[in-house]
Amino acid sequence: MKSSTKTILLWVVLIVLFTAFYQLFSNNPPRPEGNQDSSNVSWWVVLMVIAIVGGLVGYSRFQASRPWRKQYDAAMKAFGKGRFAEALELWTQSYEKTPWRPTVRFNIASARLNLWQLARSREDLMESLKLGEKAQQAALPYLVWVQVAFIDALEGKLADSRAATDKAGTSKDVTLNVPILTQAVLDVREGRLEQAQRSLRSSEMRQITGTLGELVRVLDAFCTFLATGEVRHVDKVALFQEAAPDELMRAWPELGAFLSKAPQT
């Protein structure tokens, strides 16, 4: 049913109910003492109408939220299974229905990041931060700045990455492995290859899945190449999946040159 049709029906129902209740109360016989308290009747009518309106509006919002929630949950499942393009599409549809929800916009940014859409991911992250300020979501700034720091590191904006890390600070409520990966990227870019490989081979890094998890293994092979010239096999299919490789390759040309040489696993 179209929203305009729902609005018209809602007003028709309200008018009918208002008329019915008004007639019901206005036809009451006068009190024995001959002094009917019409103000009490009026207040009862007002309160009844408010209750009805509140109930109908609440029900309408609940009905509107059902497709949003269904799409949101489906996107979460798709994201968890590594289907990032599907998750992005579903979260985008959810956001069109509820553009005031910072969590949805943040999830859109996360999906874009896993598709290596770095610039648009940063835009979505900053927009989610603005929405989060209005919604007073305390953990969101940490989550946003952690991912911004990672994007900056991938793009070679090392000072900006460290500044974003400082803005993120720490969180008692959220534990992420992305800051360790960000530091590993900085170490690789600045030539601290042994330190980078220690981080990349840590248990924390093995917990990362999806395209970011594959980046961990690619960076490990990249460190070996930079240190010894050995070109190892890498899984470029798993690294990019549904994503176009162009933006990541442009952001880090040296890594792109290595990937063009490395044979597919």
Side-chain angles (χ1 to χ4, degrees):
M1 187 181 296
K2 295 182 179 180
S3 59
S4 58
T5 305
K6 289 181 179 179
T7 302
I8 293 172
L9 288 176
L10 175 62
W11 277 107
V12 169
V13 171
L14 290 176
I15 291 171
V16 171
L17 288 172
F18 180 85
T19 303
F21 279 110
Y22 181 80
Q23 292 295 328
L24 176 65
F25 286 108
S26 63
N27 290 333
N28 283 341
R31 295 177 180 270
E33 62 272 16
N35 184 22
Q36 184 180 12
D37 191 351
S38 61
S39 62
N40 287 339
V41 173
S42 300
W43 274 111
W44 273 108
V45 171
V46 171
L47 291 174
M48 188 65 69
V49 170
I50 290 174
I52 294 169
V53 171
L56 288 172
V57 170
Y59 179 76
S60 176
R61 289 183 67 87
F62 170 74
Q63 289 293 99
S65 71
R66 290 179 67 186
W68 164 81
R69 192 73 215 184
K70 184 177 181 180
Q71 289 171 328
Y72 183 90
D73 292 342
M76 290 294 291
K77 291 180 181 178
F79 188 89
K81 294 179 179 179
R83 301 198 301 268
F84 303 117
E86 180 184 347
L88 174 59
E89 181 179 357
L90 289 168
W91 272 323
T92 300
Q93 293 172 4
S94 296
Y95 186 73
E96 289 172 355
K97 295 179 175 64
T98 57
W100 60 86
R101 295 184 183 274
T103 303
V104 182
R105 192 65 181 266
F106 174 82
N107 289 344
I108 289 173
S110 297
R112 290 195 188 281
L113 179 55
N114 279 272
L115 292 168
W116 306 119
Q117 298 177 11
L118 305 182
R120 295 190 67 182
S121 178
R122 181 189 280 105
E123 292 174 2
D124 289 323
L125 286 168
M126 300 314 297
E127 185 59 31
S128 72
L129 190 63
K130 293 179 183 177
L131 294 171
E133 291 174 354
K134 299 176 183 178
Q136 297 181 346
Q137 295 199 356
L140 190 62
Y142 172 75
L143 297 172
V144 167
W145 288 114
V146 161
Q147 293 211 35
V148 169
F150 178 58
I151 294 172
D152 286 337
L154 288 175
E155 293 180 335
K157 302 173 182 176
L158 308 188
D160 290 344
S161 178
R162 292 190 176 92
T165 298
D166 290 340
K167 289 181 180 179
T170 58
S171 174
K172 298 179 181 178
D173 303 320
V174 182
T175 301
L176 296 178
N177 293 326
V178 175
I180 303 174
L181 179 55
T182 299
Q183 184 57 51
V185 172
L186 294 175
D187 289 337
V188 175
R189 281 191 169 276
E190 295 179 329
R192 296 183 294 273
L193 303 179
E194 292 183 6
Q195 182 173 328
Q197 284 190 304
R198 282 196 299 271
S199 296
L200 294 167
R201 295 172 181 178
S202 66
S203 60
E204 291 86 354
M205 292 296 94
R206 288 196 295 269
Q207 294 174 15
I208 300 178
T209 59
T211 54
L212 299 189
E214 196 56 42
L215 177 66
V216 171
R217 290 178 280 278
V218 167
L219 289 178
D220 188 11
F222 185 41
C223 286
T224 298
F225 169 73
L226 293 174
T228 68
E230 178 187 352
V231 180
R232 294 181 176 177
H233 288 71
V234 295
D235 194 347
K236 288 176 276 189
V237 174
L239 177 64
F240 293 110
Q241 295 186 23
E242 305 161 291
D246 300 353
E247 191 168 355
L248 180 60
M249 305 279 263
R250 285 195 304 268
W252 199 342
E254 296 82 3
L255 178 63
F258 165 72
L259 288 171
S260 65
K261 295 178 182 179
Q264 171 67 30
T265 300

